[in-house]
Amino acid sequence: MQPWTASPDRTKPVIVTLADGINQSVESIEIKDSQCTSVLNMDSFIYPTLQVRDGCTLFSQHTGYINKIFKFSGVWYCGNGKGMYKQSGSAWVAVYEYGEIYNNRLWDAAMFFDGSQLYFLNRLLQLSKYDGTTLTTLSSAPSSSSFLTTHANRFYLAGTNDNLLSYSGLRLADDWTSTNKYTGTGKITIETADGERPTGLVSFANHVILFKKYTMHELFGEDSTNFEMQNPYNVGCISDRSIVQTNEGLLFFLASDGFYVYMGGATPTKVSDPVRNYISKINLEYAQHCVSGTDGRFIYLSLVTGSETIPNVTLKYDLQRQSWWVESYVATSFYLDGQTLYYGTAEGRIMKVGGANDAGVLISWSIETKPFSEDDETVRKAIHKIYIVADIEIGSTLNISYAGGAEGGTQTSTWNQVYTTSNGTGKIQSIKIPIIVRTPETWYRLKINGTGKVKIHRIIRELSRRGS
Amino acid sequence: VAGFNLPNVDGLTSLEQVKNAVGIMVKELSWLLQNLDTRNVNELNAEVIVAGSVSADKIQAKAITADKIDVDKLSAISANMGKLTSGEIFSAYIATRENAYPRVELSNTSNMLGAYKSPSNSIQIYSPVEKFSPVIKFEVNGVLCYIFYNPEDNTFSMTSNSANVNLSTQRRIQLFAQEGVYVTGWSSLKNNGTGRSMEDELQDIYRRLKILEGH
């Protein structure tokens, strides 16, 4: 940011990029110029250029609220409120199916270590295994288990009805009764002063981590002779489905007060302050439906907010830039297949991320900047011209609006649209936009919106100060 | 076994990563220090083992060989010896009771087998005379009786200086001897009912024969 100079003409160009994401952690006038107060369908994938996010295509159409998608032995599986299904051609065949739909059947699944068996459960179904053909119920496994994970050649189960972490025999996922102290099964009781029950289970950084609402517990050891549960941090998790690991060795999870990242050693760090307005609206009664996924660059977080009972908003966190973005679609489950992210929806669709539009529909996008003051809040300024260096794809549109005042465009004044183009060139161009501002203001906000793929490299505002 | 995973510190580029690596090491090592086992220790000597702290369950069954045991007397092992099924015992005093009666004992000093009702009431098998067979000696309050074999005169003897010798049965006593049955004299062979000796009876017969001759 350049300070005002002592030049007689009292004008200066101000150049900003806009790819640092939304920030709701402080008042809008305090955030960085490159951050924004509102954004939709844009991201920082090619930082510092701001771009419209990738589109998606319909991969498969099923039914219901898809809360689990994954592949087993090269075959797609998905779970919804009625059952667990596998893809057969373009159809979905029931692996396990109920007679009625109940959206709280949240599926969890894991494979045996050699990939030969699939094990799955929901909060009501007894642990079951499936080899691709035959379904077997493991009646000796702890009943009413909700969470399943594998670690060091054992399967681990936990449920929301008791404080037990159960582990299988060594490399025997069907064995929940043997008693050999080295290779046998067992249960570990994890009780806490708050009386909370388990809310999540994951294997991370060579340890099984059991989450409760306000605490996390790491399991050390390998068998009954040296198993020891440690309670390293008073940070909990409200949704097992929100726990996601990245290739960089980071573990993200949703706590009651925010989205945290844990590296295995230091205290988990909250990263969700920039989207605190979304976090504060989480419907804790249905928080177990919140879900996360990753494509390697971004963490996707779908929240259940307000009075909703299933996810109703999807946010995106840039692992490299630590910036947050808001999506227009709502994903209810995620699966990364190679480098391609798939997500399920509440309408039974499984979408494949990629492409320039959302299943043939141009992506509507927008961004609203902070109120710019140019580091001088003692004088009123007027915008003379705006140059926007952007790459607007053919068929895409771009509009620019401005509003005066710290809360311009929201309460005190309306957006004044000063530029629109209905069809881009597909090339990087510097668009000069003359603006006549008759009433100078201390702060100005800009709004840029449109449809279709657009890359915004930077904006150059030419300002003059008045009344100083 | 106590496996643990310390972080790879190569390529740490930020203070956050260093803090995290230190945190992992602290947690892993804290746990490890309470769970050290054979996989974590290359070699130990016994100097650090607290005296008397090795309990029986820590010793592998049949692992202690005899040459590792230094016991002068088996009495140091205070236990019921249970059932011995084979082997040999030499030069040992063996008794069914210690300093109490009745008891049976094998003496390692007199090489004697004895059964004692009391100190003065016993049966002993011992060898007081070299030329004799082992002697069975009966003793009650100083009265002694013996059973033995003397090869010098080829005599099997049941003797006592002061005790009667009684052979009795409800049936009959049979004496078979190819070379005859010897008694001290006919005066010593007496009728238990009348007290008369064989000599008395023979003299009565002799007198009656004399009278008959006079007629």
Side-chain angles (χ1 to χ4, degrees):
Chain A
M1 182 65 62
Q2 295 180 357
W4 285 99
T5 62
S7 62
D9 59 8
R10 294 178 175 179
T11 64
K12 69 168 186 176
V14 180
I15 304 170
V16 294
T17 58
L18 295 171
D20 280 321
I22 191 171
N23 190 348
Q24 301 170 333
S25 63
V26 293
E27 287 293 307
S28 59
I29 62 171
E30 312 294 354
I31 67 177
K32 295 194 296 184
D33 285 3
S34 55
Q35 293 178 324
C36 61
T37 59
S38 176
V39 68
L40 186 68
N41 289 334
M42 309 199 82
D43 66 37
S44 49
F45 185 71
I46 51 173
Y47 186 89
T49 300
L50 176 70
Q51 72 155 12
V52 176
R53 65 160 172 83
D54 280 348
C56 60
T57 55
L58 178 64
F59 172 68
S60 181
Q61 178 71 57
H62 192 31
T63 58
Y65 157 41
I66 306 294
N67 64 57
K68 185 76 177 177
I69 52 174
F70 60 96
K71 286 176 84 173
F72 166 59
S73 293
V75 178
W76 281 94
Y77 288 73
C78 76
N80 61 19
K82 192 173 183 183
M84 174 69 76
Y85 302 86
K86 72 172 180 179
Q87 193 179 42
S88 177
S90 60
W92 289 92
V93 178
V95 175
Y96 190 96
E97 190 172 49
Y98 295 88
E100 79 295 339
I101 297 171
Y102 180 52
N103 280 344
N104 280 330
R105 292 187 184 112
L106 298 173
W107 297 91
D108 200 359
M111 273 167 257
F112 192 65
F113 308 101
D114 62 0
S116 63
Q117 301 279 352
L118 171 69
Y119 291 79
F120 60 85
L121 46 71
N122 59 40
R123 291 162 194 244
L124 304 170
L125 179 69
Q126 183 76 7
L127 180 65
S128 301
K129 74 171 180 179
Y130 187 65
D131 62 3
T133 305
T134 305
L135 181 70
T136 306
T137 299
L138 302 177
S139 57
S140 63
S143 60
S144 300
S145 295
S146 303
F147 316 119
L148 167 66
T149 194
T150 59
H151 172 66
N153 285 318
R154 292 183 193 273
F155 274 57
Y156 292 81
L157 290 176
T160 58
N161 296 325
D162 55 36
N163 286 306
L164 298 176
L165 173 64
S166 303
Y167 55 90
S168 73
L170 193 68
R171 283 192 71 78
L172 294 172
D174 297 1
D175 174 20
W176 296 91
T177 56
S178 65
T179 56
N180 182 282
K181 66 180 181 179
Y182 297 117
T183 61
T185 68
K187 298 177 190 292
I188 301 167
T189 300
I190 305 120
E191 294 177 335
T192 48
D194 57 21
E196 291 289 344
R197 300 286 172 78
T199 55
L201 190 66
V202 67
S203 173
F204 173 70
N206 297 308
H207 298 285
V208 170
I209 300 177
L210 182 140
F211 285 96
K212 292 190 173 188
K213 189 173 182 180
Y214 301 113
T215 53
M216 57 186 290
H217 309 259
E218 277 188 66
L219 180 66
F220 285 72
E222 294 159 341
D223 53 48
S224 65
T225 65
N226 58 17
F227 270 145
E228 181 180 307
M229 244 337 175
Q230 296 190 359
N231 176 208
Y233 309 110
N234 289 322
V235 179
C237 176
I238 57 176
S239 172
D240 179 69
R241 288 155 39 80
S242 73
I243 303 168
V244 62
Q245 299 182 48
T246 71
N247 293 334
E248 291 77 24
L250 304 176
L251 183 75
F252 288 86
F253 58 93
L254 182 64
S256 57
D257 65 336
F259 199 54
Y260 282 78
V261 60
Y262 179 53
M263 301 169 69
T267 304
T269 306
K270 192 198 296 186
V271 298
S272 61
D273 278 345
V275 288
R276 67 193 307 175
N277 294 350
Y278 292 95
I279 297 293
S280 64
K281 292 176 184 171
I282 292 174
N283 183 353
L284 289 176
E285 190 176 349
Y286 289 88
Q288 69 271 21
H289 291 266
C290 296
V291 61
S292 295
T294 183
D295 59 6
R297 171 62 187 267
F298 295 97
I299 297 287
Y300 297 80
L301 172 63
S302 292
L303 302 176
V304 182
T305 64
S307 60
E308 298 293 331
T309 59
I310 61 174
N312 63 318
V313 61
T314 296
L315 308 173
K316 190 161 76 171
Y317 176 73
D318 187 341
L319 288 164
Q320 292 183 8
R321 302 302 310 167
Q322 290 81 49
S323 56
W324 283 92
W325 307 92
V326 182
E327 310 285 73
S328 62
Y329 60 85
V330 179
T332 56
S333 52
F334 297 94
Y335 181 72
L336 181 62
D337 186 27
Q339 298 183 45
T340 305
L341 182 69
Y342 295 79
Y343 66 84
T345 73
E347 297 79 30
R349 287 191 290 271
I350 297 174
M351 309 299 292
K352 178 180 180 181
V353 174
N357 54 58
D358 284 349
V361 178
L362 290 177
I363 300 169
S364 293
W365 55 270
S366 68
I367 183 169
E368 296 177 12
T369 70
K370 66 168 286 187
F372 296 117
S373 66
E374 322 308 344
D375 281 349
D376 187 346
E377 294 168 341
T378 63
V379 296
R380 304 193 334 158
K381 294 134 249 174
I383 304 175
H384 276 300
K385 301 183 188 69
I386 292 176
Y387 297 86
I388 179 167
V389 180
D391 180 356
I392 307 168
E393 294 296 323
I394 296 172
S396 299
T397 66
L398 182 145
N399 308 307
I400 297 180
S401 307
Y402 81 92
E407 299 182 7
T410 54
Q411 298 173 13
T412 58
S413 63
T414 58
W415 291 109
N416 301 292
Q417 184 168 309
V418 292
Y419 175 80
T420 183
T421 176
S422 60
N423 202 348
T425 64
K427 298 177 181 176
I428 295 175
Q429 54 190 317
S430 178
I431 304 168
K432 179 180 178 182
I433 305 164
I435 299 174
I436 301 172
V437 177
R438 301 189 185 282
T439 308
E441 291 276 1
T442 304
W443 292 277
Y444 285 100
R445 299 181 69 219
L446 294 176
K447 175 181 178 180
I448 309 168
N449 68 318
T451 57
K453 291 290 277 187
V454 171
K455 298 173 184 173
I456 300 173
H457 299 277
R458 59 189 65 87
I459 291 175
I460 304 159
R461 307 187 305 275
E462 191 174 288
L463 303 122
S464 66
R465 60 180 182 176
R466 303 287 177 82
S468 59
Chain B
V1 291
F4 60 100
N5 297 278
L6 295 181
N8 183 355
V9 296
D10 291 339
L12 299 182
T13 56
S14 69
L15 181 59
E16 282 294 308
Q17 291 173 329
V18 173
K19 283 169 58 181
N20 187 66
V22 171
I24 291 174
M25 285 191 279
V26 168
K27 288 193 290 187
E28 294 283 351
L29 293 176
S30 297
W31 173 82
L32 179 64
L33 288 174
Q34 298 178 51
N35 291 279
L36 285 171
D37 65 18
T38 52
R39 199 168 90 175
N40 313 106
V41 179
N42 181 37
E43 188 175 73
L44 280 177
N45 65 35
E47 290 180 8
V48 295
I49 298 176
V50 176
S53 65
V54 179
S55 55
D57 64 328
K58 301 296 189 298
I59 300 173
Q60 183 184 356
K62 301 180 180 180
I64 299 178
T65 56
D67 63 321
K68 302 293 185 184
I69 302 175
D70 183 10
V71 178
D72 289 336
K73 295 181 179 179
L74 286 178
S75 59
I77 302 174
S78 176
N80 186 326
M81 65 181 173
K83 183 178 181 180
L84 301 180
T85 58
S86 65
E88 298 170 329
I89 298 176
F90 296 103
S91 301
Y93 171 78
I94 300 173
T96 56
R97 299 176 75 184
E98 183 176 10
N99 297 326
Y101 299 91
R103 72 169 183 255
V104 175
E105 66 178 29
L106 287 171
S107 171
N108 61 332
T109 54
S110 60
N111 295 320
M112 181 193 71
L113 170 65
Y116 295 86
K117 185 175 182 180
S118 69
S120 60
N121 188 342
S122 64
I123 301 173
Q124 296 177 358
I125 299 176
Y126 71 133
S127 184
V129 182
E130 184 63 28
K131 61 185 180 183
F132 286 3
S133 70
V135 174
I136 300 176
K137 181 177 78 172
F138 297 81
E139 179 180 2
V140 177
N141 297 328
V143 177
L144 301 174
C145 306
Y146 302 92
I147 301 174
F148 61 93
Y149 170 70
N150 182 354
E152 267 192 352
D153 55 7
N154 191 26
T155 303
F156 175 72
S157 301
M158 297 173 64
T159 66
S160 176
N161 289 333
S162 51
N164 299 321
V165 177
N166 183 10
L167 290 174
S168 63
T169 177
Q170 295 297 315
R171 302 295 297 275
R172 63 187 179 191
I173 294 175
Q174 297 174 317
L175 297 175
F176 300 103
Q178 296 292 328
E179 296 181 7
V181 177
Y182 289 76
V183 297
T184 306
W186 293 120
S187 61
S188 299
L189 196 61
K190 293 184 177 180
N191 185 321
N192 191 47
T194 62
R196 289 172 57 80
S197 67
M198 178 65 81
E199 185 175 33
D200 294 339
E201 296 293 346
L202 289 173
Q203 285 179 348
D204 281 352
I205 295 170
Y206 178 75
R207 278 194 299 271
R208 287 174 187 166
L209 288 175
K210 278 290 187 183
I211 293 169
L212 290 174
E213 285 177 354
H215 291 284

